[in-house]
Amino acid sequence: MSKVRVGIIGAGRIGKIHADNLLRMAEAEIVAISDLYANEELKAWASERGISMVTTDSSELIGHPDIDAVFICSSTDTHVPLIIQAAEAGKHVFCEKPVSMDVSKTKEALVAVDKAGVKLQIGFNRRFDHNFKRLRELVAQNRVGVPHLVKITSRDPNPPSPEYIKVSGGIFMDMAIHDFDMARFISGSEVETVYTQGAVLIDPVIGELGDYDTAVTTLTFTSGALAIIDNSRRAVYGYDQRVEVFGSRGAASAENDYPNTVTVSDEMGVVRDKPLHFFLERYNEAYVEETRMFIGSVLHNHPLQVEGNDGLQAELIALAAKQSAKLGRPVKLSELI
């Protein structure tokens, strides 16, 4: 195999991002795109990129003999059946997070992948961010010693629409799930207990939909270390993404990314530009890198850096967080297994 031939299911914003990133890679070729609402506009978009096959039938794409790997970028409720179908067809799979909102269903998908012997990478792109990768390297190199505390700040510039919140799974499954994965990734340890407090401080409609727009979560790892994660759906100054790890030998931290490093100092004060505005700007290169690593893994049989179990563990933490906020007490992951 000199190239990985890819089919993409779901041609929304994230599907098109993956498509454009794949087109930049000499080792990848996009054979087909599937979308339930494929229209002339999508066909024109695909044609401009040299993608000849556009279909509304994902089964046609998965069954295509020239496709080696499938990118699943469709709605969350379709992930598990598509993963199982792709695995049974012998296709490697890249799937956006979360795998599902039902742990038992996610486990079914992982069993199918294991049985078929194909690869499954989950779209936790922040692991591939240049800042957070460096933090993980420092922990692995024992530069901060034994981790004691991980602190993560993750705040969006604006809340999503009520229509999105209705189907997203809520702040823990949609937004904070990235931070739950990051806590495991940075610490190198598994989560044992989750304690979350949630509030509605930004938009009462979010509360009416049964969700929160502000939350603080404390994780207890099996190692005994702790993580503190704060989430907000609205930071007026932009996309706030910071991580610190504190250990027995010191600390390391990653700050926000900015459009430039210029600061202006005058009699009014010292100012600089706001952080990069949202995830497409902040994590643009991380999206490229996660795709590149997946293609390399399929082509050269390298180990995946984000596997199906990582998706499962993040889901368990998200569900525990949701339950903890509702019950007002810590929840052990063992209660959900």
Side-chain angles (χ1 to χ4, degrees), residues 2-294:
S2 59
K3 283 189 177 184
V4 178
R5 296 164 300 179
V6 175
I8 299 174
I9 301 175
R13 177 172 60 182
I14 196 65
K16 288 178 177 177
I17 288 172
H18 286 307
D20 283 338
N21 289 338
L22 285 162
L23 290 167
R24 297 165 59 180
M25 300 175 189
E27 294 181 324
E29 175 187 350
I30 302 175
V31 175
I33 288 183
S34 168
D35 192 280
L36 279 175
Y37 305 102
N39 53 23
E40 293 305 315
E41 182 180 350
L42 178 61
K43 290 177 182 177
W45 178 90
S47 179
E48 289 173 2
R49 289 158 176 78
I51 305 167
S52 58
M53 179 179 172
V54 178
T55 177
T56 58
D57 185 357
S58 60
S59 296
E60 183 182 3
L61 182 150
I62 290 173
H64 198 297
D66 292 338
I67 288 178
D68 307 304
V70 174
F71 274 63
I72 299 175
C73 309
S74 48
S75 60
T76 300
D77 61 304
T78 68
H79 289 180
V80 168
L82 288 173
I83 289 171
I84 293 173
Q85 187 180 358
E88 291 175 346
K91 314 295 186 183
H92 301 289
V93 180
F94 179 104
C95 182
E96 278 301 330
K97 62 82 193 168
V99 175
S100 78
M101 299 179 196
D102 183 330
V103 169
S104 64
K105 293 294 184 183
T106 297
K107 288 180 178 179
E108 286 180 20
L110 301 195
V111 168
V113 166
D114 186 60
K115 182 179 178 180
V118 297
K119 296 178 182 293
L120 170 62
Q121 179 170 320
I122 308 303
F124 285 123
N125 65 303
R126 296 184 191 183
R127 289 187 179 218
F128 301 89
D129 172 72
H130 57 290
N131 294 324
F132 301 152
K133 279 174 61 179
R134 180 58 178 150
L135 281 183
R136 175 57 196 152
E137 289 170 359
L138 291 170
V139 172
Q141 294 165 3
N142 200 35
R143 290 286 298 277
V144 300
V146 178
H148 292 174
L149 288 168
V150 177
K151 296 175 68 176
I152 299 175
T153 291
S154 181
R155 304 167 185 163
D156 286 353
N158 292 294
S161 68
E163 289 71 26
Y164 179 81
I165 289 173
K166 289 176 184 177
V167 299
S168 70
I171 190 172
F172 304 117
M173 189 65 73
D174 165 55
M175 177 185 176
I177 193 169
H178 279 291
D179 307 307
F180 300 148
D181 178 69
M182 188 53 49
R184 291 181 64 247
F185 174 63
I186 295 293
S187 69
S189 184
E190 296 296 342
V191 172
E192 186 174 80
T193 306
V194 180
Y195 184 32
T196 299
Q197 290 181 291
V200 180
L201 304 175
I202 296 167
D203 186 349
V205 172
I206 292 175
E208 292 167 9
L209 294 172
D211 197 15
Y212 308 97
D213 55 36
T214 308
V216 175
T217 300
T218 302
L219 307 177
T220 303
F221 297 100
T222 54
S223 65
L226 301 173
I228 303 166
I229 301 168
D230 75 80
N231 296 109
S232 174
R233 287 289 198 181
R234 185 179 68 195
V236 296
Y237 50 86
Y239 198 37
D240 196 353
Q241 300 283 290
R242 292 172 282 141
V243 178
E244 179 191 37
V245 56
F246 170 81
S248 59
R249 299 182 60 185
S253 61
E255 298 300 318
N256 285 312
D257 270 5
Y258 293 85
N260 56 67
T261 61
V262 175
T263 59
V264 178
S265 303
D266 59 21
E267 62 182 5
M268 300 298 293
V270 179
V271 297
R272 67 179 305 172
D273 287 348
K274 294 178 180 179
L276 291 173
H277 183 66
F278 207 19
F279 72 95
L280 293 179
E281 294 88 356
R282 172 66 178 81
Y283 293 116
N284 178 57
E285 289 306 312
Y287 279 112
V288 174
E289 182 67 5
E290 71 170 353
T291 303
R292 186 183 69 81
M293 295 301 291
F294 175 71

